[in-house]
Amino acid sequence: EDQVTQSPEALRLQEGESSSLNCSYTVSGLRGLFWYRQDPGKGPEFLFTLYSAGEEKEKERLKATLTKKESFLHITAPKPEDSATYLCAVLVPNTGNQFYFGTGTSLTVIP
Amino acid sequence: DVKVTQSSRYLVKRTGEKVFLECVQDMDHENMFWYRQDPGLGLRLIYFSYDVKMKEKGDIPEGYSVSREKKERFSLILESASTNQTSMYLCASRPTGNPYGYTFGSGTRLTVV
């Protein structure tokens, strides 16, 4: 069965303390892996799309990487405004444009 | 700025009521989706539609139905609301093609009492 697993479930960082979030998947024939940020009470906002192993994308303090089995979201010198839940999702072939989501990592950055 | 708009941010309904959640997108996307999001369970797909008047069941369609009479509008219907349908409901759309991500609406927090 196709699965997407995110770890850790929750992460507390001091401001400036860099870390990484993990998204592992067991999907065959990956067509794309997507990272989203979700603030409390709001819909997810798109961050990155990764298509193939070895690919990297960056945006401000965030950097996403992809291997054949997992993706990492690296957060460098985080600020309190980076506090949010980060979701990853994969697009699976032959599913009618359906995404499979992980359950997310809740990040709290303490000033 | 492209948008997916959900008609209500918060709703409180009584058990047994018929509930309509509306979603409108202005991006001419073919595909639209309804998810519910619950703590510890993540996003679960209820229904999706890849064309006007077309619909497909997702992972948890029981107790729900959908309507897509126009390309830009996708409605989720709770035929007889129950307390276990209290949740955050998220609408999303995406164009056909490989691979485009979802654009999400801001969500509707539904409480059934």
Side-chain angles (χ1 to χ4, degrees):
Chain A
E1 181 180 315
D2 295 329
Q3 275 198 323
V4 180
T5 304
Q6 290 188 249
S7 62
E9 288 187 16
L11 182 63
R12 290 172 64 90
L13 298 174
Q14 293 289 331
E15 185 172 0
E17 179 187 3
S18 300
S19 188
S20 297
L21 314 182
N22 177 263
C23 173
S24 63
Y25 59 93
T26 58
V27 168
S28 302
L30 182 74
R31 291 172 63 199
L33 186 142
F34 301 80
W35 281 99
Y36 289 86
R37 169 190 170 125
Q38 186 175 23
D39 293 302
K42 297 186 177 181
E45 289 185 17
F46 171 78
L47 290 174
F48 303 110
T49 308
L50 300 165
Y51 301 124
S52 57
E55 189 174 2
E56 298 181 353
K57 295 275 180 73
E58 285 189 67
K59 180 180 179 180
E60 296 181 353
R61 296 176 293 282
L62 300 177
K63 179 180 177 180
T65 61
L66 181 65
T67 72
K68 288 186 178 180
K69 294 184 178 181
E70 58 191 350
S71 176
F72 292 94
L73 185 65
H74 307 277
I75 303 176
T76 302
K79 298 182 177 182
E81 54 262 42
D82 295 323
S83 297
T85 295
Y86 291 86
L87 299 168
C88 76
V90 298
L91 180 59
V92 180
N94 304 318
T95 60
N97 295 297
Q98 185 175 338
F99 282 45
Y100 288 96
F101 282 86
T103 53
T105 294
S106 176
L107 174 66
T108 303
V109 181
I110 304 163
Chain B
D1 196 15
V2 295
K3 276 190 175 177
V4 176
T5 302
Q6 293 184 231
S7 54
S8 304
R9 291 297 305 275
Y10 300 96
L11 277 179
V12 180
K13 297 292 181 181
R14 295 194 179 278
T15 301
E17 277 193 76
K18 191 169 187 176
V19 181
F20 293 85
L21 303 183
E22 305 288 343
C23 176
V24 176
Q25 51 99 359
D26 64 359
M27 297 165 285
D28 202 35
H29 287 172
E30 296 84 3
N31 307 286
M32 297 187 74
F33 306 79
W34 276 107
Y35 284 85
R36 63 178 284 178
Q37 185 177 31
D38 301 287
L41 297 177
L43 278 78
R44 293 180 291 168
L45 182 64
I46 305 171
Y47 268 97
F48 65 100
S49 168
Y50 54 88
D51 201 355
V52 176
K53 297 191 185 292
M54 306 301 290
K55 60 184 180 183
E56 296 283 345
K57 292 181 180 180
D59 298 320
I60 52 164
E62 296 79 17
Y64 302 94
S65 62
V66 290
S67 173
R68 192 162 181 206
E69 297 296 318
K70 294 184 178 182
K71 190 176 185 179
E72 67 270 19
R73 186 180 297 271
F74 192 35
S75 302
L76 180 68
I77 303 155
L78 285 66
E79 298 291 344
S80 177
S82 63
T83 55
N84 63 12
Q85 293 179 309
T86 292
S87 185
M88 169 71 113
Y89 289 88
L90 290 163
C91 175
S93 72
R94 70 183 287 269
T96 296
N98 178 31
Y100 294 102
Y102 288 156
T103 300
F104 282 92
S106 54
T108 296
R109 171 70 66 183
L110 173 67
T111 302
V112 182
V113 297

